[in-house]
């Protein structure tokens, strides 16, 4: 039998010092919330909020991690409601200011939940929508391996990815989707530390749940470490009567345990004596203790014992890189007056409670933000304690956020749609990417930095040819059995550490979390990646929260969604999407486009690759179609295509009507326009490539004008030649609200066409007639418009 690994114990003086840090973090986080709610002037009468109990629950976990275990290269997602503790840690590390602490949940102050974009580079991963930050750590670990194996990183030591999760976060389904995907990709070096306070927002969680969850983690190849008891309880268990005491606690329902914790020492004594008083030895344990001492003993859980936490983290570290879940038993509100109360999630200490807590902490009024105030350490001793933490060393002289130079994108992409040929934008996308994938000449460097991914729709979104050229990524080399056996297949998918496509299972939230992780690699690992993810347009909805989350952190990637709309006609049903153009308009930090022809696509794809890398850029989204259209022969103004619209046939000055189309319904609009022109010479035909960019430009110009800056939006210039009372007939294969705002630009009338119902199989003539997108419907709308 192997000898067990030696247990590395901290010296008792270091533990005593870390207990001082815990004390300070509990104070600072509670005070931060108190100050925001009870002291700072409140101008609007709204509750400011903050979560003193959620913070108190994880003080020891965060102390052990940040002041003993974490190294500068480790990356952390902190559970959203522990934001004040996280910021207090940064205050101790000299990376935050008391002013920003005092401004918790205020403009310019520290944010309610850790935010990369608002709080700055100390935040590795934003959190807020529970479950997503936790899962993101797993994808970030995968992407760290990717950039290292491709030699694209900055060469710093690899870090571990750590999530501090609330136990209720494990109710989110995306956690299990991520676990399964992580197992498939053999993800390593991930730790999830669960603050197991057995409370969520509304209530105490069911007792039997964690037995199940532990099993799930083990099934997914994770090591599970349960930290149930601290050193005081462990010592008590070794005494006569200790076994009975342990059994009693093990069997105690979560709700009773929480209630007794809230009630305190006398209640514990009453309950324990009633049930265990006759057990030999028990009274000898309980009787000599004061009520306070008994309460301290009974709440001495593993997640509140920094000594136990450090020991278990060290053991897991020594055991290797297996993903590890720590179930750290805690009490919500530990150390504060509402500890254990089931309603404490949003509870705030009263002024009286804070006054006595402040006194007990020996914090003089006016010295609330002084870091050494009330501690048994002088300021210089405290400094030395903090400096001894590995995490106190800077990751780089420039801090935690790295950078990498932009990758040059050639002026023109290789395929732009041969005039006269029939092609879809989806096919055009696949062709362009496959050409880039040859890695020839000026495209060599670009090709190296692109990484693609898809949730089981790689082939049907036309990424196959790119993947054939660049291979599938896997940490281990795996042969393509079909190819080795010389069986014919269009897909040649050998897997290796140099592959550039990450094949995902069908869960769309994982797609967006992976894109988030890939799109943050510049900052996290100094690796410039150009991540491209493909998905069916309707199933953007399935991953929507994760998409918004990725953009919220300013991750940079390109989303290509195809097929879209009702145009994939016979497939019908829930494969049709109508709300996605509106999502594209409303999503922050996401520039959305929908080309009709491949020449527009080539311009927009190139723009997306540049825009993703621009300091003031964003993620981008191309909504594409499988409908084949005859490609036009023309030359385009790229700036107009990028700005969102270009005249195919410019209107005469003062024209009474224009017809505007977006995407795959171009042929119906063109046919209608030919007839319209015969009736109304001088009418215009407008191609809309992005209602999102048009709308954003319009809002921006109006904002500038309000501040006295002259500005004209692209859509204002576009519509200017039309007469004031001109009519606009608009059509897209998406919800018509994407265009109906156009009438507000210059006060012109709009008749917007587009499906507002979906779900019917059929062929294009039937469906376009049914939903009012065919040429007749467009002409009817034009006639109505002309009649006024
Ligand atoms: C997706 C999502 N749903 C709901 C919420 C509202 N909410 C915030 S915290 C919380 C419960 C958190 O419980 P837990 O994760 O156990 O945290 P802790 O007990 O440590 O505060 C809920 C439901 C949220 N932030 N995100
Ligand atoms: Mg909880």
């Amino acid at each position: 039998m192997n000898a067990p690994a030696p247990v590395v114990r901290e010296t008792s003086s270091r533990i005593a010092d870390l207990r001082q840090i815990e004390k300070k973090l509990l104070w600072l986080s509670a005070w931060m919330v108190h100050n925001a709610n009870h002291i700072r002037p409140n101008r609007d009468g709204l509750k400011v909020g903050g979560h003193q109990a959620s913070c108190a629950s994880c003080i020891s976990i965060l102390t052990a991690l940040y002041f003993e275990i974490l190294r500068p290269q480790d990356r952390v997602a902190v559970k959203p409601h522990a934001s004040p503790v996280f910021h207090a840690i940064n205050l101790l590390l000299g990376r935050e200011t008391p002013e920003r602490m005092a401004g918790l949940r205020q403009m310019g102050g520290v944010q309610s939940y850790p935010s990369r974009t608002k709080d700055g580079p100390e935040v590795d991963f934003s959190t807020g929508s529970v479950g997503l930050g936790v899962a993101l750590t797993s994808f970030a670990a995968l992407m760290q391996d990717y950039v290292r194996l491709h030699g694209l990183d900055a060469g710093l030591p690899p870090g571990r990815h750590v999530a501090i999760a609330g136990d209720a976060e494990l109710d989110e389904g995306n956690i299990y989707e991520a676990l399964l995907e992580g197992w498939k990709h053999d993800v390593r070096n991930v730790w999830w530390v669960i603050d197991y306070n057995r409370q969520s927002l509304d209530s105490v969680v069911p007792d039997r749940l964690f037995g199940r969850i532990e099993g799930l983690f083990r099934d997914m190849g994770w090591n599970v470490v349960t930290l149930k008891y601290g050193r005081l309880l462990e010592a008590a268990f070794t005494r006569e009567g200790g076994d009975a005491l342990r059994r009693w606690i093990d069997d105690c329902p979560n709700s009773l345990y929480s209630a007794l914790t809230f009630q305190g020492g006398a209640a514990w004594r009453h309950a324990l004596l009633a049930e265990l008083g006759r057990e030999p030895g028990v009274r000898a344990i309980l009787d000599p203790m004061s009520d306070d001492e008994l309460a301290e003993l009974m709440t001495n859980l593993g997640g509140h014992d920094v000594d136990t936490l450090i020991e278990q983290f060290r053991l897991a570290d020594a055991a290797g890189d297996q993903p590890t879940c720590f179930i750290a038993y805690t009490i919500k509100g530990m150390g504060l007056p509402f500890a254990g109360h089931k309603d404490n999630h949003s509870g705030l200490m009263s002024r009286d409670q804070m006054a006595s807590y402040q006194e007990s902490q020996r914090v003089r009024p006016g010295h609330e933000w002084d870091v050494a105030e009330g501690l048994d350490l002088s300021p210089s001793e405290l400094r030395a304690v903090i400096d001894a933490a590995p995490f106190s060393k800077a990751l780089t002289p420039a801090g935690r956020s790295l950078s990498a130079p932009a990758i040059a994108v050639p002026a023109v992409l290789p395929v732009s749609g041969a005039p006269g040929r029939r092609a879809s934008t989806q096919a055009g996308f696949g062709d362009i990417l496959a050409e880039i994938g040859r890695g020839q000449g000026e495209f060599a460097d670009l090709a190296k930095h692109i990484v693609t991914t898809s949730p089981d729709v790689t082939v049907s979104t036309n990424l196959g040819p790119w993947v054939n050229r660049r291979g599938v990524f896997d940490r281990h080399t795996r042969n393509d059995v079909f190819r080795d056996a010389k069986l014919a297949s269009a897909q040649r998918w050998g897997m290796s550490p140099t592959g550039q496509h990450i094949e995902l299972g069908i869960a769309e939230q994982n797609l967006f979390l992976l894109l988030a992780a890939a799109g943050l690699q510049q900052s996290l690992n100094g690796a410039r990646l150009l991540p491209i993810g493909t998905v069916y347009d309707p199933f953007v909805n399935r991953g929507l929260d994760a998409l918004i989350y990725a953009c919220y952190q300013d991750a940079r990637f390109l989303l290509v969604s195809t097929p879209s709309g009702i145009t994939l006609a016979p497939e019908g049903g829930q494969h049709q999407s109508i709300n996605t153009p509106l999502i594209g308009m409303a999503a922050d930090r996401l520039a959305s486009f929908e080309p009709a022809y491949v020449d527009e696509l080539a311009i927009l794809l190139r723009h997306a690759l540049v825009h993703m890398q621009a300091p003031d850029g964003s993620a981008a989204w191309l909504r594409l179609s499988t409908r084949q259209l005859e490609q036009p022969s023309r030359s385009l103004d790229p700036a107009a295509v990028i700005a969102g619209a270009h005249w195919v046939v410019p209107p005469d000055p003062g024209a009474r009507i224009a017809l505007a189309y977006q995407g795959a319904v171009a042929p119906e609009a063109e046919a209608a326009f030919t007839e319209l022109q015969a009736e109304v010479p001088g009418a215009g035909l407008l191609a809309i490539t992005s209602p999102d960019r048009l709308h954003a430009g319009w809002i921006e110009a109006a904002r500038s004008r309000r501040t006295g800056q002259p500005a004209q939006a692209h859509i204002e210039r576009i519509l200017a030649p039309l007469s004031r009372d001109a009519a606009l007939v608009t059509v897209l294969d998406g919800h018509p609200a994407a265009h109906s705002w156009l009438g507000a630009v210059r006060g012109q009338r709009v008749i917007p066409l587009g499906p507002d119902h979906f779900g019917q199989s059929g062929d294009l003539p039937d469906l376009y007639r049914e939903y009012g997108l065919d040429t007749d419907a467009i002409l009817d709308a034009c006639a109505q418009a002309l009649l006024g």
Side-chain angles (χ1 to χ4, degrees), residues 166-168 195 197-200 332:
D167 46 356
D195 177 354
N197 57 30
R198 291 148 291 154
Q199 278 183 251
S200 58
K332 198 154 168 170

Side-chain angles (χ1 to χ4, degrees), residues 668 672 675 769 773-782:
E668 284 66 30
E675 292 195 31
R769 182 167 10 86
L773 304 180
D774 64 355
T775 302
D776 286 347
I778 298 171
L779 284 170
D780 286 349
C782 290

